[in-house]
Amino acid sequence: MGTEDDNRCKPVHEGDSEPLFETRRKTGRVIAYRVFSVSVFACICLIWFYRVTVPINIDGNRTGIDRLIWLVLLVAEIWFGLYWVVTQSSRWNPVWRFTFPDRLSRRYGNDLPRLDVFVCTADPVIEPPLMVVNTVLSVAALDYPPEKLAVYLSDDGGSELTFYALTEAAEFAKTWVPFCKRFNVEPTSPAAYLSSKGNGLDSTAEEVAELYREMAARIETASRLGRVPEEARLKYGDGFTQWDADATRRNHGTILQILVDGRREENTIEIPTLVYLSREKRPQHHHNFKAGAMNALVVVSCFITCGKIILNLDCDMYANNSKSARDALCILLDEKEGKEIAFVQFPQCFDNVTRNDLYATMMRVGVDVEFIGLDGNGGPLYIGTGCFHRRDVICGRKYGEEEVKSEQVQEMIEPEMIKDLASCTYEANTQWGKEMGVKYGCPVEDVITGLAIQCRGWKSAFLNPEKKDFLGVAPTNLHQMLVQHRRWSEGDFQVLLSEYSPVWYGKGKISLGLILGYCCYCLWAPSSVPVLVYSVLTSLCLFKGIPLFPKVSSSWFIPFGYVTVVAKAYSLAEFLWCGGTFRGWWNEQRVWLYRRTSSFLFGFTDTIMKLLGVSESAFVITSKVADEEAAERYKDEVMEFGVESPMFLLLGTLGMLNLFCFAAAVMRLASRDGGDFKTMGFQFVITGILVVINWPLYEGMLLRKDKGKMPTSVTVKSVVIALSACTCLAFL
């Protein structure tokens, strides 16, 4: 769908046939990686052969326990090997895309398609209004014709505070947007720009900065008091009259306000259209979380600006590069290869990541290697933010179908006339959330929507320029990060088991490499079980003196050692190549261990419980706020615990179990002149690494006194459970 202006949009220089983007491959690196992966897989096969042919004997006699341990190890090692093969699919055909925005400017000038930007927020407490409007202001100042640009804020919290902040931002935009355009300001988020400049502002910039500080002070004061000042209600009265006296976050009518109408001729300041929307919510109607908010924006915007291209952003994801839209259009408007691209995905990056990325939130290898590899197999996943879409594709158009040409939008349409489009009942008996729009019924609605688009014949593209186009707020404590990954892993596993499973839904529609790429993420949750069992079994058998692996002197030890050392060495090299540090890589190993033994495990059990009808999925919003002490600890890269959580109880128990088993084995080793190490050297190494990697956990449980330490109740429970397990095992 799009306006006539968009559909008639043609190159200014039609004879200019130069491509707007280029796709490159680095064959030398790919060949080297394939040689490495083949050697690793050969050793994996040798490990499988060893496990099948060599039994486990306790005290020289095979018992039922022996067979059970052997079977568990066999199943786990087969799983690890096959899962490793699946994860390599994204590394076999990597591509890098490079855009030429200068060619775009020469060819189209300012005759670009309309662009609608959707920013979504849901809670003014954990998503502060000042942060939200900084994101809005950053995209309002994109290097894009203002008459072709519109910014929509979806407020699922229905908060007067968020609306008030947006009204203040709309006034400030009259100064900020022209300032950014005149002086080529980067980044275009006022808070980020002023923070990057420090005290190095000239007189003009200082005047703008003072206006921003005054606006920020008013918004923060209102947020702290929890109400909008009366003088603001009088000043912006028309907007606030839409809130009913008894309105709550989950029970209110549609609130729609066009704060700036960039389509009107009297808009001489040249700032884009700015719209606030809080869709209707009623307790008796399911609102479908962020997916419902996105679909309401798609429908409502069709009758206001109807941008042919849609950019959606999380409320904390500000524009760090004002030319990001032009980069995306280089792909979407390319006459040769761009016609098959449905969406352009930018990486999810963060501006508050510590030097060594304490919680591995950047996922460097995932961004710089895996997504680039998926791009070579048909396109990356849609990750829910930082993504430019074709509107008609979101609305269900299949690849190869004729583009739908809508009639020209009635530019002076009044908001009251389209409020019903965001009502609770508008989507009833329609295909919205099914064949049209963002999919419903899954915690990872973005992933399943992207898969459905690709299965309609479309491809996607991944852009990862050196200067990150969008930057957000990373979780600043461990619990936030684990909860976030619990939801992701649960949702991905639900996708695998649903009608939209890439295994059968994507069969024959997308490439095998892309199917495997999706499966890599969908298997996060079930992968937790073999990881947990394998690590616990290794430690417990070390405690009991039961050898599980070949002797260090045996030739059978070579494949075990090769896979462990070479795979981790390559992982380190890959991480460093992506711009990380050694300590950052070590942090990533720890965090992935914690995710697999807590977040993914709980995501797995949550999915099973939902399938059994015991529980329902919930959408958890990640808090973007941290107190000052916690923020300082985060800057110092001190791991934050601080709250009671079943996931912390599990991590604490596993950590103490590893510690007790390793300590007992070391004492036994000292009393037997090293005999145990010759037969169980590999188990010593595995358990020893688990102990070392858990050092921040032990600090939080036993040594620290600050508020971010592990709660005493969790520590006591973990120690008691681990000691009880070791005691019971000692008498078996």
Side-chain angles (χ1 to χ4, degrees):
M1 303 174 72
T3 67
E4 283 187 359
D5 290 340
D6 288 338
N7 292 316
R8 288 200 302 262
C9 180
K10 294 182 179 179
V12 175
H13 302 286
E14 294 190 40
D16 187 354
S17 59
E18 289 184 299
L20 297 179
F21 74 96
E22 184 179 38
T23 302
R24 301 175 189 170
R25 288 176 169 83
K26 297 182 179 179
T27 55
R29 181 182 166 200
V30 172
I31 292 173
Y33 176 75
R34 289 179 179 179
V35 171
F36 155 78
S37 59
V38 167
S39 68
V40 171
F41 183 69
C43 287
I44 289 174
C45 292
L46 289 174
I47 291 173
W48 290 344
F49 182 77
Y50 169 84
R51 191 59 69 192
V52 169
T53 57
V54 179
I56 292 177
N57 292 310
I58 302 177
D59 298 328
N61 298 311
R62 292 207 71 186
T63 63
I65 297 295
D66 297 347
R67 294 185 178 89
L68 178 61
I69 294 174
W70 171 83
L71 181 61
V72 169
L73 289 174
L74 176 63
V75 172
E77 286 167 352
I78 290 175
W79 172 272
F80 294 149
L82 294 177
Y83 186 68
W84 181 86
V85 171
V86 170
T87 61
Q88 304 317 296
S89 62
S90 60
R91 291 170 167 82
W92 279 68
N93 190 31
V95 297
W96 287 261
R97 300 189 188 270
F98 300 88
T99 60
F100 305 108
D102 54 330
R103 297 178 185 177
L104 179 78
S105 298
R106 287 200 308 268
R107 193 171 305 177
Y108 290 93
N110 280 336
D111 190 19
L112 298 172
R114 288 185 181 274
L115 171 63
D116 289 347
V117 183
F118 296 165
V119 179
C120 297
T121 185
D123 191 322
V125 176
I126 61 180
E127 295 175 336
L130 182 59
M131 178 194 69
V132 174
V133 297
N134 265 280
T135 298
V136 170
L137 289 166
S138 74
V139 291
L142 287 175
D143 180 14
Y144 210 80
E147 70 277 8
K148 297 288 188 74
L149 178 63
V151 183
Y152 292 78
L153 177 62
S154 169
D155 177 18
D156 253 13
S159 169
E160 287 185 314
L161 291 173
T162 303
F163 177 75
Y164 166 62
L166 192 62
T167 58
E168 289 281 359
E171 287 295 315
F172 178 65
K174 297 174 183 177
T175 301
W176 178 250
V177 173
F179 171 72
C180 291
K181 299 290 180 69
R182 180 181 176 186
F183 296 101
N184 296 318
V185 168
E186 297 284 359
T188 50
S189 161
Y193 172 72
L194 297 177
S195 176
S196 66
K197 290 297 181 181
N199 296 322
L201 297 174
D202 58 26
S203 57
T204 304
E206 186 57 46
E207 291 178 8
V208 175
E210 186 58 31
L211 289 175
Y212 171 74
R213 295 186 191 107
E214 292 173 359
M215 178 197 73
R218 292 192 294 271
I219 293 174
E220 289 186 322
T221 299
S223 299
R224 186 171 60 255
L225 295 175
R227 57 181 174 81
V228 178
E230 288 302 319
E231 56 269 24
R233 290 182 179 277
L234 295 174
K235 183 178 180 181
Y236 307 113
D238 290 344
F240 288 105
T241 57
Q242 297 187 63
W243 268 267
D244 298 328
D246 58 347
T248 65
R249 177 181 170 184
R250 293 179 175 83
N251 189 13
H252 62 80
T254 299
I255 303 166
L256 177 64
Q257 185 80 14
I258 301 178
L259 297 171
V260 177
D261 197 340
R263 306 163 300 165
R264 296 180 180 272
E265 293 181 359
E266 60 266 28
N267 181 35
T268 57
I269 305 178
E270 294 188 347
I271 60 176
T273 298
L274 184 58
V275 181
Y276 173 91
L277 172 66
S278 182
R279 61 194 170 116
E280 182 185 23
K281 282 190 175 181
R282 301 301 179 191
Q284 64 270 28
H285 293 282
H286 197 296
H287 57 83
N288 294 303
F289 310 113
K290 182 181 175 182
M294 280 286 294
N295 286 341
L297 285 170
V298 172
V299 174
V300 169
S301 63
C302 277
F303 293 85
I304 301 177
T305 52
C306 200
K308 186 176 181 179
I309 307 298
I310 292 172
L311 163 65
N312 78 284
L313 293 171
D314 288 342
C315 64
D316 64 317
M317 195 67 70
Y318 68 83
N320 189 52
N321 180 4
S322 63
K323 294 182 170 41
S324 58
R326 293 181 178 270
D327 283 333
L329 288 182
C330 283
I331 293 181
L332 295 172
L333 296 184
D334 184 80
E335 287 83 359
K336 186 178 179 181
E337 296 183 36
K339 294 179 180 179
E340 62 183 4
I341 304 297
F343 60 86
V344 179
Q345 180 66 64
F346 287 83
Q348 188 173 14
C349 302
F350 307 96
D351 68 351
N352 65 328
V353 173
T354 60
R355 170 175 167 73
N356 298 300
D357 198 0
L358 181 61
Y359 299 120
T361 48
M362 283 292 287
M363 300 180 71
R364 293 180 184 275
V365 174
V367 168
D368 292 342
V369 176
E370 293 176 2
F371 263 57
I372 287 173
L374 287 174
D375 202 354
N377 291 328
L381 288 64
Y382 167 40
I383 62 174
T385 185
C387 190
F388 289 83
H389 299 267
R390 297 183 190 273
R391 179 185 289 270
D392 57 354
V393 175
I394 281 284
C395 293
R397 181 164 77 96
K398 297 178 180 179
Y399 179 68
E401 290 183 348
E402 184 178 352
E403 185 175 352
V404 178
K405 296 184 178 181
S406 68
E407 296 182 358
Q408 187 172 359
V409 175
Q410 297 295 322
E411 295 190 350
M412 297 303 115
I413 193 168
E414 294 299 327
E416 289 297 327
M417 299 174 61
I418 54 178
K419 278 188 174 183
D420 287 344
L421 302 176
S423 68
C424 293
T425 57
Y426 174 77
E427 295 179 355
N429 302 316
T430 72
Q431 291 300 309
W432 284 101
K434 301 172 186 175
E435 297 300 320
M436 299 173 64
V438 182
K439 301 289 184 184
Y440 293 157
C442 181
V444 286
E445 69 288 329
D446 39 21
V447 173
I448 201 170
T449 300
L451 173 62
I453 289 172
Q454 290 166 330
C455 287
R456 294 203 297 266
W458 293 95
K459 293 183 179 180
S460 56
F462 182 64
L463 272 183
N464 185 26
E466 186 174 345
K467 180 180 180 180
K468 303 306 179 186
D469 288 76
F470 303 99
L471 292 175
V473 179
T476 56
N477 68 64
L478 183 61
H479 189 255
Q480 285 179 2
M481 184 273 294
L482 293 177
V483 168
Q484 187 178 61
H485 279 79
R486 175 179 179 173
R487 179 174 68 86
W488 289 348
S489 63
E490 176 191 353
D492 288 334
F493 190 37
Q494 287 181 20
V495 171
L496 183 67
L497 301 178
S498 72
E499 61 179 309
Y500 293 105
S501 171
V503 178
W504 44 80
Y505 184 70
K507 185 178 180 181
K509 301 175 184 176
I510 57 178
S511 69
L512 176 61
L514 192 54
I515 290 175
L516 293 177
Y518 273 101
C519 288
C520 177
Y521 296 95
C522 292
L523 292 173
W524 271 359
S527 70
S528 63
V529 177
V531 170
L532 178 65
V533 172
Y534 202 80
S535 60
V536 170
L537 188 61
T538 300
S539 296
L540 292 178
C541 286
L542 178 66
F543 177 81
K544 284 292 289 183
I546 303 172
L548 302 178
F549 304 99
K551 295 180 180 179
V552 177
S553 58
S554 169
S555 58
W556 279 113
F557 179 76
I558 295 175
F560 285 91
Y562 183 86
V563 169
T564 303
V565 174
V566 174
K568 288 302 178 184
Y570 188 89
S571 168
L572 173 59
E574 203 171 47
F575 191 87
L576 296 176
W577 179 80
C578 294
T581 63
F582 175 80
R583 189 174 174 187
W585 173 80
W586 186 247
N587 286 338
E588 186 173 75
Q589 305 307 301
R590 176 187 305 112
V591 169
W592 274 107
L593 174 67
Y594 289 174
R595 288 170 182 164
R596 289 187 175 107
T597 53
S598 62
S599 300
F600 297 172
L601 182 65
F602 278 87
F604 177 76
T605 56
D606 289 344
T607 302
I608 299 302
M609 297 288 276
K610 181 183 179 183
L611 290 174
L612 296 175
V614 178
S615 65
E616 290 293 329
S617 298
F619 190 94
V620 180
I621 305 171
T622 305
S623 176
K624 312 299 189 300
V625 183
D627 62 59
E628 291 184 9
E629 290 185 12
E632 286 300 317
R633 287 191 292 270
Y634 177 69
K635 290 179 182 178
D636 294 335
E637 298 194 329
V638 176
M639 192 163 277
E640 187 80 11
F641 300 100
V643 298
E644 292 191 34
S645 167
M647 288 188 287
F648 283 167
L649 178 61
L650 180 56
L651 290 178
T653 301
L654 293 174
M656 298 309 296
L657 188 65
N658 292 327
L659 182 62
F660 295 154
C661 290
F662 186 72
V666 169
M667 289 188 290
R668 189 173 64 246
L669 179 67
S671 64
R672 295 185 182 180
D673 299 325
D676 277 4
F677 191 80
K678 295 177 182 178
T679 57
M680 293 186 293
F682 199 52
Q683 284 165 261
F684 270 97
V685 171
I686 292 176
T687 309
I689 289 175
L690 289 174
V691 170
V692 173
I693 210 169
N694 275 317
W695 176 249
L697 180 67
Y698 301 141
E699 275 189 320
M701 296 177 72
L702 305 173
L703 302 178
R704 285 167 51 187
K705 303 297 181 183
D706 55 70
K707 292 181 179 179
K709 71 180 182 67
M710 187 73 79
T712 303
S713 59
V714 175
T715 300
V716 171
K717 291 175 185 177
S718 299
V719 171
V720 169
I721 295 172
L723 274 176
S724 300
C726 290
T727 303
C728 292
L729 187 63
F731 290 101
L732 286 178

